[in-house]
mmCIF file of all heavy atoms in Angstrom:
data_model
loop_
_atom_site.group_PDB
_atom_site.id
_atom_site.type_symbol
_atom_site.label_atom_id
_atom_site.label_comp_id
_atom_site.label_asym_id
_atom_site.label_seq_id
_atom_site.Cartn_x
_atom_site.Cartn_y
_atom_site.Cartn_z
ATOM 1 N N LEU A 283 96.524 81.904 103.738
ATOM 2 C CA LEU A 283 95.194 81.816 104.345
ATOM 3 C C LEU A 283 95.362 82.099 105.836
ATOM 4 O O LEU A 283 95.578 81.188 106.634
ATOM 5 C CB LEU A 283 94.615 80.412 104.112
ATOM 6 C CG LEU A 283 93.264 80.069 104.743
ATOM 7 C CD1 LEU A 283 92.186 81.070 104.357
ATOM 8 C CD2 LEU A 283 92.827 78.678 104.330
ATOM 9 N N CYS A 284 95.319 83.387 106.199
ATOM 10 C CA CYS A 284 95.623 83.768 107.577
ATOM 11 C C CYS A 284 94.588 84.724 108.140
ATOM 12 O O CYS A 284 93.724 85.234 107.454
ATOM 13 C CB CYS A 284 97.010 84.406 107.658
ATOM 14 S SG CYS A 284 98.343 83.277 107.198
ATOM 15 N N GLY A 285 94.702 84.978 109.434
ATOM 16 C CA GLY A 285 93.822 85.924 110.111
ATOM 17 C C GLY A 285 94.247 86.026 111.548
ATOM 18 O O GLY A 285 95.163 85.325 111.972
ATOM 19 N N GLY A 286 93.602 86.890 112.323
ATOM 20 C CA GLY A 286 92.753 87.998 111.916
ATOM 21 C C GLY A 286 93.601 89.159 111.468
ATOM 22 O O GLY A 286 94.640 88.934 110.857
ATOM 23 N N GLY A 287 93.183 90.388 111.780
ATOM 24 C CA GLY A 287 93.876 91.565 111.268
ATOM 25 C C GLY A 287 95.358 91.572 111.609
ATOM 26 O O GLY A 287 96.219 91.635 110.728
ATOM 27 N N GLY A 288 95.662 91.478 112.893
ATOM 28 C CA GLY A 288 97.063 91.534 113.337
ATOM 29 C C GLY A 288 97.826 90.273 112.972
ATOM 30 O O GLY A 288 98.982 90.330 112.562
ATOM 31 N N GLY A 289 97.160 89.129 113.092
ATOM 32 C CA GLY A 289 97.795 87.852 112.787
ATOM 33 C C GLY A 289 98.221 87.769 111.328
ATOM 34 O O GLY A 289 99.287 87.239 111.009
ATOM 35 N N SER A 290 97.402 88.318 110.423
ATOM 36 C CA SER A 290 97.745 88.298 109.002
ATOM 37 C C SER A 290 98.968 89.163 108.722
ATOM 38 O O SER A 290 99.845 88.777 107.963
ATOM 39 C CB SER A 290 96.571 88.802 108.157
ATOM 40 O OG SER A 290 95.561 87.834 108.097
ATOM 41 N N LEU A 291 99.008 90.346 109.336
ATOM 42 C CA LEU A 291 100.153 91.246 109.119
ATOM 43 C C LEU A 291 101.435 90.570 109.593
ATOM 44 O O LEU A 291 102.456 90.586 108.922
ATOM 45 C CB LEU A 291 99.945 92.566 109.878
ATOM 46 C CG LEU A 291 98.795 93.464 109.416
ATOM 47 C CD1 LEU A 291 98.636 94.654 110.359
ATOM 48 C CD2 LEU A 291 99.014 93.960 108.000
ATOM 49 N N LEU A 292 101.353 89.973 110.798
ATOM 50 C CA LEU A 292 102.515 89.282 111.368
ATOM 51 C C LEU A 292 102.958 88.124 110.469
ATOM 52 O O LEU A 292 104.136 87.968 110.174
ATOM 53 C CB LEU A 292 102.142 88.751 112.760
ATOM 54 C CG LEU A 292 103.097 87.758 113.410
ATOM 55 C CD1 LEU A 292 104.319 88.486 113.928
ATOM 56 C CD2 LEU A 292 102.430 87.008 114.541
ATOM 57 N N SER A 293 102.007 87.329 109.996
ATOM 58 C CA SER A 293 102.319 86.153 109.178
ATOM 59 C C SER A 293 102.953 86.555 107.847
ATOM 60 O O SER A 293 103.902 85.938 107.380
ATOM 61 C CB SER A 293 101.055 85.335 108.902
ATOM 62 O OG SER A 293 100.424 84.988 110.108
ATOM 63 N N PHE A 294 102.406 87.602 107.241
ATOM 64 C CA PHE A 294 102.910 88.070 105.941
ATOM 65 C C PHE A 294 104.355 88.547 106.092
ATOM 66 O O PHE A 294 105.235 88.182 105.309
ATOM 67 C CB PHE A 294 102.011 89.196 105.419
ATOM 68 C CG PHE A 294 102.040 89.383 103.926
ATOM 69 C CD1 PHE A 294 101.012 88.900 103.136
ATOM 70 C CD2 PHE A 294 103.081 90.064 103.314
ATOM 71 C CE1 PHE A 294 101.026 89.085 101.755
ATOM 72 C CE2 PHE A 294 103.099 90.256 101.932
ATOM 73 C CZ PHE A 294 102.071 89.764 101.150
ATOM 74 N N ASP A 295 104.606 89.375 107.116
ATOM 75 C CA ASP A 295 105.970 89.846 107.393
ATOM 76 C C ASP A 295 106.913 88.667 107.622
ATOM 77 O O ASP A 295 108.045 88.668 107.146
ATOM 78 C CB ASP A 295 105.990 90.714 108.670
ATOM 79 C CG ASP A 295 105.604 92.159 108.398
ATOM 80 O OD1 ASP A 295 105.578 92.567 107.229
ATOM 81 O OD2 ASP A 295 105.330 92.885 109.377
ATOM 82 N N ALA A 296 106.421 87.667 108.366
ATOM 83 C CA ALA A 296 107.275 86.530 108.725
ATOM 84 C C ALA A 296 107.685 85.770 107.469
ATOM 85 O O ALA A 296 108.859 85.426 107.298
ATOM 86 C CB ALA A 296 106.548 85.613 109.700
#
Side-chain angles (χ1 to χ4, degrees):
Chain A
L283 176 55
C284 297
S290 286
L291 294 174
L292 168 76
S293 305
F294 204 102
D295 277 346

